[in-house]
Amino acid sequence: MIEVEVRQVNESEIWIGESKDLLIEENILLVEAVGEQTPEIAEKQLEVTGVIAKSINRKLNFIIDLNRCGKNSPEARNIWSRIAEKETTGKVAVFGIHPVARVIASFVINVSKKGKEGAMRFFRTKEESLSWIKE
């Protein structure tokens, strides 16, 4: 098993390996996914987002930046789906222009109940994502 370092920089910024979680508003988490996404990284993300959601005591909305994201193993994709399906997860906006980003996003959206309900969407930019989350 590969050990993944989790570093909390401050109250609103947590690094999971090379990826960063940034609470940009009270209930909006910007996830900047960087590099290959292993099951170990995805599991740490599941743990961290659970703690954040519990601390804000309301649904957590996600903006996920896949511009620098690498490959995702099938196990990691399944964990991303579990995060999306959690009761504490609100809207999920995924963005990125990288072709890998589109493949990852389309997989998670297509298998997710939230995707079918319209609570998960893919965008080209962070600004479009944030605008939709705030609707």
Side-chain angles (χ1 to χ4, degrees), residues 88-110:
T88 56
T89 298
K91 290 182 174 180
V92 180
V94 181
F95 76 94
I97 57 172
H98 193 282
V100 172
R102 291 182 179 275
V103 171
I104 295 165
S106 64
F107 171 82
V108 175
I109 290 169
N110 288 333

Side-chain angles (χ1 to χ4, degrees), residues 17 32 39 41 45 48 53 56 58 60 65 69-70 73 76-78 82 88 90-91 97 104 121 124 126-127 130:
E32 296 176 357
I41 290 171
Q45 185 70 54
V48 167
I56 64 169
R58 57 192 288 202
L60 182 61
D65 178 353
C69 186
S73 70
R77 288 192 303 262
N78 287 334
R82 285 180 26 215
T88 56
K91 290 182 174 180
I97 57 172
I104 295 165
R121 294 195 186 156
R124 288 200 173 279
K126 177 182 170 185
E127 293 74 25
L130 185 58

